[in-house]
Amino acid sequence: MRLAILISGRGSNMSCLADAITSYELAADIVLVAANKPCAGLDEAMRRGLPTTLVSRADFGSREDHEQALIYEIERSGADLVFLAGYMAILSPAFVARFAGRIINIHPSLLPAFKGLDTHQRALDSGAVHHGVTVHIVTPDLDDGPICLQAGLTVEKGLTVEALASQVLKLEHALYPFILYALCRRTLTVANGLPVWHEPTDTLSSAPTPIKSVLETTVIWPALDKNSN
Ligand code: GRF
């Protein structure tokens, strides 16, 4: 499985995916880390010796031209899947169609709650009791595609936004590698743009301990009755 990872920021999820591939000997290869602006994550990917490219949005007059350049780089890399890991740009319907069913995103909320930005602050402001993270297939609608898996927590009273973000990030760093683990084992497949789980609970039981220990008490399976076999 060949992955392109798109980033715009610190790149901690990208690093976790790279570490998971190495530590758990996953049958996956990061063939490209692409950023739309200079960022710490791109520096880190370079430090790790991963193939990197900066396709800076600032160098292009339109989103369309920028996306064309990005498409060129992704296709040239031979990636099967595109993982968005803090990629701070809205993808056009044309871009999504080009990689239909092959773009996966991690979003720091329990979708459909809190699409968009500032999810942790909005969760606190609204008095949400449950919060967490979602991995989903990307469709043209922002943060709206079919859910692969979620992990959730109970929001403690009086928590600062920084503390909540850090708790959710811990979930992210287990959930995204688990998705990659399941895709590599083919216990998670994507058919017609929908995630399909095969033996999901066995997959989690067999997952590496650092993933399992976080997810076994926090995982939220999607409508398994309809979506698995
Ligand atoms: C994460 O919270 C991710 O869920 C969101 O953007 C953030 C990226 O963080 N989409 P990092 O760059 O992976 O550290």
Side-chain angles (χ1 to χ4, degrees):
M1 188 165 292
R2 294 181 297 265
L3 305 187
I5 304 179
L6 307 191
I7 62 171
S8 303
R10 75 194 146 181
S12 70
N13 280 287
M14 176 278 300
S15 293
C16 270
L17 291 168
D19 286 342
I21 290 170
T22 311
S23 306
Y24 313 139
E25 300 180 344
L26 303 184
D29 204 10
I30 297 173
V31 293
L32 181 68
V33 177
N36 60 351
K37 59 180 183 183
C39 58
L42 199 62
D43 295 341
E44 175 60 18
M46 278 188 255
R47 195 193 62 74
R48 289 167 173 264
L50 296 170
T52 58
T53 187
L54 172 62
V55 184
S56 179
R57 177 65 181 84
D59 291 343
F60 296 86
S62 68
R63 177 171 80 168
E64 192 183 0
D65 288 349
H66 177 250
E67 285 190 344
Q68 279 307 323
L70 196 55
I71 287 168
Y72 174 79
E73 293 292 344
I74 294 169
E75 292 187 339
R76 196 167 68 131
S77 75
D80 310 303
L81 285 175
V82 178
F83 272 50
L84 306 182
Y87 185 66
M88 302 300 283
I90 295 176
L91 298 171
S92 72
F95 185 99
V96 174
R98 187 76 167 235
F99 303 102
R102 297 196 289 135
I103 311 176
I104 295 176
N105 184 40
I106 187 160
H107 181 76
S109 78
L110 292 177
L111 291 172
F114 310 121
K115 297 175 181 179
L117 300 175
D118 300 324
T119 57
H120 308 309
Q121 188 63 59
R122 286 158 61 209
L124 289 178
D125 291 348
S126 71
V129 176
H130 299 294
H131 189 47
V133 58
T134 302
V135 172
H136 67 97
I137 311 282
V138 172
T139 59
D141 296 319
L142 181 68
D143 299 328
D144 198 41
I147 290 173
C148 299
L149 199 58
Q150 297 178 306
L153 50 75
T154 302
V155 181
E156 294 155 33
K157 285 210 180 346
L159 213 55
T160 63
V161 69
E162 293 79 14
L164 181 58
S166 139
Q167 289 180 3
V168 173
L169 196 62
K170 189 174 161 210
L171 299 183
E172 296 189 36
H173 290 169
L175 191 66
Y176 227 5
F178 179 62
I179 290 295
L180 182 57
Y181 172 80
L183 285 166
C184 288
R185 289 174 66 100
R186 304 203 180 283
T187 51
L188 170 62
T189 55
V190 180
N192 300 321
L194 287 177
V196 182
W197 283 96
H198 315 266
E199 300 168 3
T201 41
D202 286 355
T203 307
L204 185 54
S205 308
S206 69
T209 306
I211 292 177
K212 194 168 48 173
S213 62
V214 173
L215 292 186
E216 61 192 358
T217 54
T218 58
V219 72
I220 303 166
W221 295 102
L224 284 178
D225 48 336
K226 283 186 283 177
N227 240 10
S228 71
N229 58 32

